[in-house]
Amino acid sequence: MNGEPDLYIGGSWRHAGDGATRDIINPADGSLAARVDEATPHDARDAVTAARRVFDDGSWAATPVAERAALLDRVADLLVRDREELSLLETRDTGKTLAESRIDMDDITSVFRYYARLIAVQADRLVDVGDPSIISRVVREPVGVCVLIAPWNYPLLQMSWKVAPALAAGCTMVVKPSEVTPLSTIAFTRLLEEAGVPAGVVNLVQGSGATLGNALTDTAEVDFISFTGGVATGRTIAQVAAKHVTKVALELGGKNPHLVFADIGTAAGWDSAVDHVLTGVFLHSGQVCSAGTRLIIEESIADDFVADLAARAAKIRVGDGMDPASETGPLVSEQHRGKVESYVALGISEGATLVCGGARPSDPVLAKGSYYLPTIFDRCDRSMRIVTEETFGPILTVERFTDESEAIRLGNDTQYGLAAGVRTSDAGRGERVVRALRHGTVWLNDFGYYTAAAEWGGFGKSGNGRELGPTGLAEYQETKHIWHNVAPQKAGWFKG
Ligand code: TXE
């Protein structure tokens, strides 16, 4: 970063093989946030080979779990120490508010602590085969060399969901952050080195996915690819991986419904529902894979609810994430703002009713950044691409229903299935609806929360595999059944 080497391969820091660099832009004002090394495919292949070599020598996988757990705890301690520095980098790189970056860092710390605890207590499973001379047990072993590819919306958070269980399991890995937002991952890799991660266990390359993708994925040296990003890239990675029958886990975003029933009841219930719908979609300017971008609301309350939402949305303070007064920051890049603007134009042309937003902020102070106003489209339906496609921006669409079954049908009528929210004061209805929704996470009378101990991932085109929780560790492990006969006899099948 800024002259220091940024690629970490086989335990050494180095510049890109061809000396290339990339300018990282601060989306809050278009300024240069940092200049970083841009890896070549050759660098990426070196990183994979380094990870392979270290995995194959067996020493890391053979490290006692107590030592690996202690290492994860040391990483967590250093994350606490460097919380502010990492948060500032994350905000400068992504544009998200500093308050959000600090929450990210706390969450990352808890992910490392969680996997330190989980790996320390994970036990082999004994299987009773009904024969006292047979010891049958199922053990867990590291899956091998992992390629971990993260996106730009939660750069270090998404990466930590992969790195922590991979380290806990005893894997080696190549880490590739998004080329748009590599800064926190570079700093984090230095932190891993300081914590004592052995050379070659974690290798870092950054650069364009299109350029490095094949070197990282089209190879038999890799055992597992964990990817978070867009559907198109996920599909490409899965296709390339299939050539080598490489295991793949994909988290590919969502188009997440938030179902609001008329029985939300009291004034407090109403205010809480408005507040959660608002936060669920406009936090981080909608650049959240689980953002509640589709409000699906009971017809009888829709007009009043949308009016309240629009009034609140218009008051959201959009601004530089470094300014404590800002409630949400810019979009991650000019290019991404262009995509969001094209979706707004599409929504208008498709006949949706623009209720608020639909423009850049007029404040001249924000003119140099990639800002966009919270935007609501009412009177939407499933024929509109604005309702079916992930815009990944601050855009809420509103659809209306008249009964519970229609609400469920609309909530499930998506190619994705990452997350959904339900608001009702009727507990029975709440339980019925959450069970009927085909999404990886469903919040009932809440929205957006997660914990390191519970699985995260999607149904449908939101991907496959799970992160976090025990399953998030199992992804990085192979199971092996060991059948040990302590009193061998003849097999006795062939008589000759
Ligand atoms: O993501 P990409 P993009 C969605 C969101 C967004 C869209 C596209 O809708 O508008 O995806 O975003 C690396 N082989 N999400 O284009 O390309 C790339 O370098 C290997 C949802 O920015 O999927 C980066 O590190 N890697 C999402 C990572 O893939 C490749 C979060 C993600 O980039 C590659 C972000 C290749 N061929 C966007 N091509 C979520 N699930 O939360 C690219 N990459």
Side-chain angles (χ1 to χ4, degrees):
M1 220 185 292
N2 302 329
E4 293 286 309
D6 299 315
L7 312 183
Y8 187 61
I9 299 172
S12 308
W13 288 92
R14 53 158 112 152
H15 293 293
D18 63 359
T21 59
R22 172 185 290 265
D23 288 351
I24 304 300
I25 303 302
N26 180 345
D29 57 10
S31 64
L32 182 69
R35 181 161 290 152
V36 302
D37 293 316
E38 172 90 354
T40 63
H42 186 78
D43 296 325
R45 273 192 292 275
D46 274 0
V48 170
T49 303
R52 183 81 257 166
R53 195 170 47 241
V54 172
F55 186 77
D56 287 345
D57 90 16
S59 55
W60 174 238
T63 308
V65 284
E67 274 181 41
R68 289 210 301 274
L71 176 69
L72 264 69
D73 270 328
R74 273 201 304 283
V75 173
D77 293 341
L78 294 178
L79 283 164
V80 171
R81 184 195 70 186
D82 293 350
R83 177 181 189 253
E84 199 59 12
E85 185 194 326
L86 289 166
S87 302
L88 287 164
L89 273 181
E90 202 74 307
T91 290
R92 209 184 309 147
D93 208 353
T94 62
K96 68 172 65 180
T97 63
L98 200 47
E100 283 179 76
S101 292
R102 290 182 182 128
I103 292 170
D104 284 4
M105 297 314 142
D106 294 344
D107 287 356
I108 293 165
T109 306
S110 67
V111 169
F112 274 87
R113 298 240 189 263
Y114 171 71
Y115 282 115
R117 286 202 310 278
L118 193 65
I119 195 70
V121 298
Q122 196 175 50
D124 298 346
R125 197 172 91 238
L126 284 176
V127 179
D128 183 353
V129 297
D131 179 344
S133 62
I134 303 298
I135 302 171
S136 163
R137 67 191 198 276
V138 178
V139 301
R140 301 254 185 198
E141 296 184 354
V143 71
V145 174
C146 305
V147 164
L148 310 178
I149 302 175
W152 43 259
N153 56 337
Y154 286 86
L156 196 49
L157 185 83
Q158 299 282 5
M159 194 58 95
S160 74
W161 289 12
K162 304 178 193 302
V163 172
L167 281 175
C171 296
T172 63
M173 63 210 80
V174 178
V175 161
K176 197 202 89 61
S178 165
E179 60 271 37
V180 186
T181 56
L183 304 185
S184 57
T185 305
I186 296 170
F188 172 69
T189 305
R190 291 194 179 275
L191 183 153
L192 293 176
E193 185 186 27
E194 183 184 345
V197 172
V201 169
V202 177
N203 303 275
L204 162 71
V205 289
Q206 67 270 332
S208 141
T211 308
L212 303 183
N214 273 5
L216 295 173
T217 58
D218 192 357
T219 163
E221 287 196 303
V222 171
D223 300 296
F224 178 47
I225 302 166
S226 177
F227 168 80
T228 304
V231 174
T233 308
R235 190 182 286 120
T236 301
I237 288 174
Q239 281 167 343
V240 173
K243 290 204 291 193
H244 307 278
V245 199
T246 307
K247 181 182 169 188
V248 177
L250 306 168
E251 202 269 64
L252 306 178
K255 189 73 186 176
N256 312 289
H258 204 157
L259 277 51
V260 177
F261 288 88
D263 64 16
I264 45 178
T266 63
W270 179 278
D271 288 348
S272 166
V274 170
D275 196 53
H276 275 106
V277 171
L278 189 83
T279 313
V281 62
F282 295 130
L283 187 80
H284 194 13
S285 292
Q287 303 166 110
V288 182
C289 50
S290 54
T293 47
R294 289 175 66 202
L295 171 61
I296 296 175
I297 186 158
E298 194 155 353
E299 176 71 58
S300 59
I301 59 166
D303 286 346
D304 290 344
F305 196 92
V306 171
D308 280 7
L309 261 182
R312 294 269 323 260
K315 287 191 210 149
I316 290 176
R317 292 197 297 264
V318 180
D320 187 332
M322 294 290 183
D323 179 351
S326 301
E327 293 176 316
T328 190
L331 297 172
V332 74
S333 64
E334 275 303 290
Q335 189 194 7
H336 187 53
R337 179 165 68 173
K339 175 178 166 178
V340 169
E341 288 181 325
S342 70
Y343 268 113
V344 171
L346 179 69
I348 292 167
S349 73
E350 286 178 316
T353 306
L354 183 64
V355 178
C356 69
R360 302 175 179 192
S362 54
D363 184 348
V365 173
L366 305 181
K368 288 189 178 153
S370 309
Y371 300 92
Y372 202 77
L373 291 177
T375 298
I376 300 177
F377 279 115
D378 198 358
R379 304 279 168 193
C380 297
D381 66 58
R382 297 273 304 128
S383 68
M384 299 174 178
R385 282 174 54 205
I386 193 93
V387 172
T388 56
E389 295 178 15
E390 188 179 47
T391 65
F392 230 60
I395 302 176
L396 179 72
T397 61
V398 184
E399 298 157 82
R400 295 155 185 244
F401 66 85
T402 49
D403 63 31
E404 189 179 305
S405 61
E406 188 185 12
I408 293 168
R409 188 177 55 71
L410 287 171
N412 283 336
D413 189 9
T414 169
Q415 59 174 338
Y416 291 104
L418 186 63
V422 180
R423 299 293 304 199
T424 174
S425 61
D426 178 338
R429 161 176 282 161
E431 283 298 321
R432 274 196 308 277
V433 176
V434 297
R435 294 308 301 261
L437 288 171
R438 297 206 25 95
H439 295 263
T441 296
V442 185
W443 294 285
L444 180 51
N445 296 332
D446 223 331
F447 201 90
Y449 296 99
Y450 76 95
T451 161
E455 279 73 3
W456 180 268
F459 291 27
K461 286 204 176 55
S462 289
N464 54 49
R466 289 292 180 271
E467 302 195 277
L468 303 180
T471 316
L473 176 60
E475 295 278 10
Y476 292 88
Q477 296 176 313
E478 293 279 13
T479 50
K480 179 185 283 177
H481 176 208
I482 300 174
W483 175 288
H484 180 183
N485 189 338
V486 297
Q489 308 286 319
K490 286 169 74 173
W493 183 266
F494 296 110
K495 305 300 177 208

